Amino acid sequence: MAERDYQQELDDLHSGKTSHFDITPEEFQAFQPIFHGYQYRTQIEAEAHRGGTLTYRLKKR
């Protein structure tokens, strides 16, 4: 299985190419350091779902 490019997914979200993306509990440990270092992370919010999946999207302004 190919490794996900979390940096690209964050960039696509920030630029409007995508409206959201999901992170599973298994992916969280790999994703978190990239998200923490992301320049625009304060503009992104996560919604938690039953089972531990998180949906990331831009905050509404």
Side-chain angles (χ1 to χ4, degrees):
M1 184 166 96
E3 185 98 10
R4 285 176 68 177
D5 186 350
Y6 300 121
Q7 182 70 41
Q8 185 62 53
E9 290 190 47
L10 287 165
D11 289 340
D12 289 348
L13 182 63
H14 184 257
S15 70
K17 288 183 181 179
T18 59
S19 63
H20 70 279
F21 65 88
D22 294 331
I23 297 295
T24 65
E26 295 79 22
E27 298 169 316
F28 185 76
Q29 290 296 323
F31 171 74
Q32 187 61 24
I34 295 164
F35 179 69
H36 184 70
Y38 189 62
Q39 178 179 2
Y40 302 108
R41 75 179 176 278
T42 59
Q43 298 174 18
I44 298 171
E45 64 186 0
E47 178 183 357
H49 302 283
R50 191 176 305 242
T53 299
L54 296 166
T55 299
Y56 287 83
R57 60 179 46 93
L58 284 179
K59 291 181 181 178
K60 297 188 194 256
R61 297 178 184 182

